[in-house]
Amino acid sequence: MDHELFNATRLLAPSPEYLASVKVFPLIPAIKREIIVYSPLSWDQLTASDVSFSIVRPIVFKFARPKNLAIVYACLVVRSYFLGESENDLAYAGVNLSRANLCELIATKLLSHFAADHMQLVAALTTSWNPLTGATSSFIDEVQQVLKCDEEDLNYPQSALEMAISTKSMRFLASPVTQRVVHDIYTGRIVFSVAATRSVLADNYKHRSIQFYDWRDAPFLDHYRLRVPKYGAILEFLNFAALLLTFILCLSNQNPNGTNIWEVIFVLFAVAFALEEYTASTEHGWGSDRSFCMWNVFDTAFLAIFCVYLFLRIRGIVNGDTALSEMSFDILACGACILLPRLAFFAVSNTVIVLALRAMIAEFVFFIGIASICFSGLLFTLWTLGKHKWTLKSISWLMVQIWFGNTYLSFGEASSFHPVLGPILMTCFAALSNTLLLTILISILSNTVARIDAYMLEFLQSRLFLTLSLQYLFQFTISTIEGVKTDALFSYQPPFNILAFLVLKPTSWIVSPRALHSLNVLLIKLTSFPILLVIGIYERYLAHGRALRESGRGAAHSIFNSLPRQIKNIPIIEALVGSTSADIYEAIFEVEADNENGLFTDSEDENIPALRSFVNESNPASPTSALARKRLTSLAHSISARRDPSPLPSPRLRPISANLELSSSGEVPSPQSKSPLARLFVRTPSDHPMSATVDSIEANVKRVEALVDEMKGLPLQRMREEMKELQDRQARIENLLLTLTRGMRQSDLDRSH
């Protein structure tokens, strides 16, 4: 890679030239060789300190050094390989799953190396990479021969977020670094375009690089804002509410002998809704996680009901069959069981409670299915015994009634099947279904609710809530990426998407991509003009941090502050506006103190052990001496901080010499008050003759040596020596662990050969 080009693009989005120069394929086999795990390990074991130190950290540091933006994507590609191997080789499924989890862990840690530069972080997650970029032509030819496809079929790029979704890397997607980018994409703060490859109507003419959205540089009617997932969710809710309203009006004004305006409008909205669902399924795949989402199952069920209604309704109108038309309305009325709950749970589709409810529904459906299979044998037995009196449908309905509590039917109708075997079979069925199995089902659901209630206070330590939180963030990421990587028809609101499909789809076959793009933008602005106008006004004046919103908030706070204290303390007003204590706490940290109160200066500095300057100790009131002492104390603090950066508490030590300080007036203390250091280093007046004996000098030297030995025995020096010994011991342990790890890897390689 060109590192100069990389450094030049740190403050801006990576250029297409730089992204094209990134080699992706060499990373994949390199990462695969480094994933060395020979025993099944859980996620907690992989994140343990010993495994993280000996296995994870060396791999992370090795692959983080080149600063390749595709390294996270390559780790997730290798994870997909190990997941496939775990399904193919069941004997080593646990080992391959551990390797796949290790790839996810390494990808999560490698992503944190890009967190310092937010633009590079977004590029590492959202850039679409081709896994064969950087591979040799001979290797590409071999891949084509294996897949038996053309070169165009190999060009299927994906981003790191899409790979994480396809490999179900929930912990990677739930990491704070990834969720920061996902949240910025959801709110529209980050803008980028992804080429649509499987869309019904693709408009890939103008490619937009990654950038931070600024409303000052954007046009007022920006049609790209319709693809912001935040606005898309609001518009989807409004469209669904309009569909429900037309549904209610259609059933309230039904006419079996003909059509009316409300039925036509409902059919138009329902067809537009069906086209939207078909476009989404085509774009994201029928086998994706979106297709099997609970809410999409509801939508598919409603579309099935609508198709049956439309078929019977058209046939009844053509043939003039009133009974068939009434039956079509009866079938359509069953759609209310889906539409009304769907709208109620629309705003909370990915919350933890709804995910828990979905888990309970899944357990209930699974239990009922198993019970139905088990009792199918009894159904066949009863039909065989009483087929001269009972039909299969009537026996099934009788068993359903007994299942839900009507046990007296089992005893009243038992003899009609067989005088001996009938009562025995029906008694056993009533005991099993209404007493045993139904009690077990209630216990299972009650246990689920009890676990949720018990783990509410231990949210972070609960595996149930941890799984649900990961599932919530996983579904949130899926919906966000789907909102960005969408078909051109998603920019049109129902029922205008039908018009766009009828106009643009035939036009795309005969015009150039540029002309198609221009016509698409024109139709979007014409059909979505009110929506674009509202979005433009909101982002420029009413969004968070805008001048109008802040001025309105400031005016409201000023009015609230001008109210009497009795009105402020009214509970309902305090609940609406909020307590003022939080504002006081925030203001304390926002306003910087200009003067220091000196609580922790002079009193603590008096006892700091250091060689003091020659200042008169007997004159503490002198301002000159106090200022000089304060400056020297701060200088001693800075010198000691540079020499010993460890935050060890400094013990209170006895001063080395309390009488080394000379008077500021020039007076010399008496010889009796001089310490040994003063006698040695301080120049004395004439009372000390120049002909001092050698014995007195040697005595002073011995006294200094004794003082130095005394300093060595102080707690501070001992603490420093112990810290140094601990550091040396830690270095030896690290070298020993690295040596053992390398030896184990070499022995494993030799054993494999």
Side-chain angles (χ1 to χ4, degrees):
M1 290 190 306
D2 191 354
H3 294 283
E4 295 181 357
L5 183 62
F6 176 82
N7 294 327
T9 58
R10 283 184 60 85
L11 299 178
L12 302 175
S15 61
E17 293 79 9
Y18 168 72
L19 295 178
S21 65
V22 175
K23 295 182 180 180
V24 182
F25 175 75
L27 298 173
I28 298 175
I31 295 174
K32 181 178 175 294
R33 287 193 299 267
E34 292 293 333
I35 304 300
I36 303 175
V37 177
Y38 295 103
S39 60
L41 299 175
S42 63
W43 182 265
D44 295 334
Q45 291 174 335
L46 288 174
T47 55
S49 58
D50 52 350
V51 177
S52 178
F53 180 80
S54 60
I55 298 177
V56 180
R57 286 185 61 188
I59 299 176
V60 171
F61 291 154
K62 177 180 179 180
F63 289 108
R65 196 175 302 114
K67 297 181 180 180
N68 193 322
L69 292 177
I71 188 64
V72 178
Y73 168 79
C75 290
L76 296 174
V77 170
V78 179
R79 169 178 166 81
S80 66
Y81 165 76
F82 285 123
L83 289 177
E85 289 295 317
S86 65
E87 296 178 358
N88 297 330
D89 192 358
L90 298 180
Y92 296 95
V95 176
N96 288 320
L97 285 176
S98 300
R99 294 173 179 176
N101 291 333
L102 180 59
C103 292
E104 182 181 359
L105 179 61
I106 292 173
T108 306
K109 292 184 176 297
L110 285 172
L111 188 63
S112 62
H113 288 267
F114 299 101
D117 189 347
H118 193 50
M119 183 62 73
Q120 299 294 332
L121 175 64
V122 175
L125 286 174
T126 59
T127 303
S128 297
W129 307 100
N130 191 341
L132 295 178
T133 303
T136 59
S137 58
S138 60
F139 184 84
I140 296 176
D141 294 337
E142 292 179 1
V143 172
Q144 291 181 3
Q145 294 177 2
V146 171
L147 298 178
K148 296 179 181 180
C149 61
D150 299 332
E151 186 176 357
E152 296 180 356
D153 297 333
L154 298 178
N155 188 16
Y156 187 68
Q158 279 188 317
S159 64
L161 285 176
E162 293 173 341
M163 279 300 303
I165 292 173
S166 62
T167 57
K168 291 182 172 55
S169 303
M170 295 187 183
R171 292 180 177 87
F172 173 82
L173 294 175
S175 62
V177 180
T178 306
Q179 284 301 311
R180 177 188 176 189
V181 177
V182 173
H183 184 267
D184 289 342
I185 296 173
Y186 177 79
T187 57
R189 183 171 177 263
I190 296 175
V191 179
F192 67 97
S193 62
V194 181
T197 56
R198 303 175 55 180
S199 59
V200 176
L201 181 63
D203 184 9
N204 299 326
Y205 173 72
K206 185 176 290 186
H207 180 76
R208 304 182 67 186
S209 60
I210 303 171
Q211 60 180 350
F212 291 104
Y213 177 76
D214 189 1
W215 59 270
R216 301 177 186 86
D217 301 331
F220 192 85
L221 299 178
D222 190 1
H223 65 282
Y224 288 106
R225 303 305 289 171
L226 293 174
R227 296 194 178 188
V228 174
K230 177 182 177 181
Y231 302 142
I234 298 174
L235 293 175
E236 186 179 359
F237 174 78
L238 296 177
N239 294 331
F240 201 88
L243 175 64
L244 178 60
L245 179 62
T246 57
F247 171 80
I248 295 174
L249 292 175
C250 175
L251 290 178
S252 301
N253 301 276
Q254 53 180 296
N255 184 12
N257 299 321
T259 59
N260 52 33
I261 185 62
W262 298 116
E263 186 176 3
V264 173
I265 294 176
F266 165 70
V267 171
L268 191 64
F269 270 89
V271 171
F273 179 73
L275 178 60
E276 186 178 8
E277 289 294 320
Y278 172 77
T279 305
S281 301
T282 304
E283 174 69 27
H284 307 294
W286 292 96
S288 62
D289 296 287
R290 181 191 183 279
S291 301
F292 294 100
C293 181
M294 182 172 65
W295 307 124
N296 292 283
V297 172
F298 277 27
D299 297 342
T300 305
F302 172 75
L303 290 179
I305 294 174
F306 171 73
C307 291
V308 175
Y309 151 78
L310 190 62
F311 173 76
L312 295 178
R313 180 61 171 157
I314 293 175
R315 188 174 178 180
I317 293 176
V318 171
N319 298 330
D321 191 350
T322 306
L324 200 61
S325 297
E326 291 179 353
M327 183 182 296
S328 66
F329 282 111
D330 294 339
I331 293 175
L332 182 62
C334 297
C337 301
I338 298 175
L339 286 182
L340 291 174
R342 178 72 173 89
L343 183 65
F345 288 102
F346 192 92
V348 291
S349 59
N350 288 328
T351 57
V352 174
I353 300 301
V354 174
L355 293 174
L357 179 62
R358 185 176 68 175
M360 294 172 63
I361 292 175
E363 292 180 357
F364 176 79
V365 172
F366 177 76
F367 184 84
I368 293 296
I370 294 297
S372 302
I373 295 174
C374 293
F375 289 132
S376 61
L378 179 62
L379 174 64
F380 182 77
T381 302
L382 293 177
W383 177 75
T384 304
L385 294 176
K387 58 183 177 180
H388 55 283
K389 294 183 180 180
W390 295 84
T391 62
L392 191 64
K393 180 180 178 181
S394 58
I395 296 175
S396 302
W397 179 243
L398 177 64
M399 293 179 66
V400 170
Q401 289 178 319
I402 296 172
W403 171 270
F404 286 104
N406 290 334
T407 54
Y408 70 92
L409 293 176
S410 61
F411 302 106
E413 303 292 341
S415 300
S416 61
F417 292 98
H418 192 275
V420 178
L421 299 178
I424 297 175
L425 292 175
M426 296 303 290
T427 303
C428 293
F429 174 70
L432 289 175
S433 62
N434 194 27
T435 305
L436 180 62
L437 296 182
L438 196 59
T439 305
I440 293 174
L441 177 61
I442 295 174
S443 301
I444 292 174
L445 299 181
S446 301
N447 188 25
T448 304
V449 177
R451 281 185 299 166
I452 294 175
D453 184 66
Y455 291 152
M456 184 65 71
L457 298 178
E458 301 177 0
F459 180 85
L460 296 178
Q461 299 178 359
S462 171
R463 291 188 178 273
L464 174 63
F465 269 86
L466 178 60
T467 304
L468 294 175
S469 301
L470 294 177
Q471 186 70 21
Y472 161 69
L473 296 176
F474 180 67
Q475 294 293 337
F476 176 71
T477 306
I478 291 176
S479 61
T480 301
I481 298 303
E482 286 178 355
V484 176
K485 189 178 180 181
T486 55
D487 194 283
L489 292 177
F490 279 97
S491 299
Y492 298 91
Q493 308 307 315
F496 295 108
N497 57 346
I498 301 176
L499 175 64
F501 178 76
L502 296 177
V503 173
L504 295 178
K505 188 61 177 180
T507 307
S508 62
W509 300 334
I510 57 177
V511 300
S512 61
R514 180 177 181 180
L516 179 65
H517 174 73
S518 301
L519 181 60
N520 183 29
V521 173
L522 178 62
L523 287 178
I524 290 174
K525 291 186 177 181
L526 288 177
T527 57
S528 304
F529 176 78
I531 300 174
L532 294 176
L533 184 64
V534 171
I535 292 176
I537 294 174
Y538 169 76
E539 291 183 342
R540 283 159 178 79
Y541 302 105
L542 302 177
H544 181 70
R546 300 297 181 262
L548 182 60
R549 181 171 179 176
E550 295 299 328
S551 61
R553 182 181 297 177
H557 278 287
S558 62
I559 294 174
F560 175 74
N561 293 330
S562 62
L563 295 175
R565 188 177 183 86
Q566 293 79 5
I567 299 178
K568 290 182 182 180
N569 293 334
I570 296 177
I572 185 172
I573 296 180
E574 188 176 1
L576 293 175
V577 180
S579 178
T580 57
S581 60
D583 299 334
I584 296 175
Y585 297 145
E586 293 179 359
I588 290 175
F589 294 98
E590 289 180 359
V591 179
E592 296 182 357
D594 296 333
N595 53 350
E596 297 180 358
N597 51 15
L599 290 177
F600 309 102
T601 54
D602 295 338
S603 61
E604 296 290 337
D605 295 340
E606 292 293 337
N607 297 326
I608 293 179
L611 290 175
R612 302 176 182 175
S613 60
F614 295 96
V615 183
N616 188 9
E617 192 177 19
S618 62
N619 189 16
S622 175
T624 307
S625 62
L627 181 60
R629 183 177 300 143
K630 187 173 183 179
R631 291 179 179 175
L632 289 174
T633 304
S634 62
L635 180 61
H637 276 302
S638 62
I639 293 174
S640 62
R642 287 195 297 268
R643 289 181 179 177
D644 188 12
S646 60
L648 296 175
S650 57
R652 298 181 178 274
L653 304 178
R654 180 177 59 85
I656 297 175
S657 177
N659 52 4
L660 276 177
E661 301 172 350
L662 297 178
S663 173
S664 59
S665 61
E667 297 179 358
V668 180
S670 62
Q672 289 78 10
S673 63
K674 292 180 182 179
S675 66
L677 286 177
R679 295 173 183 174
L680 179 61
F681 294 105
V682 179
R683 183 173 297 178
T684 56
S686 59
D687 57 344
H688 272 269
M690 298 298 295
S691 60
T693 59
V694 179
D695 296 336
S696 62
I697 296 176
E698 291 180 354
N700 292 332
V701 171
K702 291 180 179 180
R703 291 176 181 175
V704 171
E705 291 178 353
L707 290 174
V708 172
D709 294 337
E710 184 181 356
M711 289 179 60
K712 290 182 179 179
L714 294 177
L716 181 61
Q717 186 67 21
R718 294 176 183 173
M719 193 175 299
R720 289 181 179 177
E721 292 178 356
E722 291 178 359
M723 289 294 297
K724 184 177 180 181
E725 184 179 355
L726 289 176
Q727 291 175 357
D728 295 339
R729 186 179 301 174
Q730 182 180 0
R732 290 195 299 269
I733 293 173
E734 291 178 356
N735 293 331
L736 180 60
L737 287 175
L738 290 176
T739 304
L740 291 175
T741 304
R742 292 172 183 171
M744 291 173 64
R745 290 182 180 178
Q746 187 64 31
S747 62
D748 293 335
L749 291 176
D750 296 339
R751 191 179 304 166
S752 62
H753 291 301

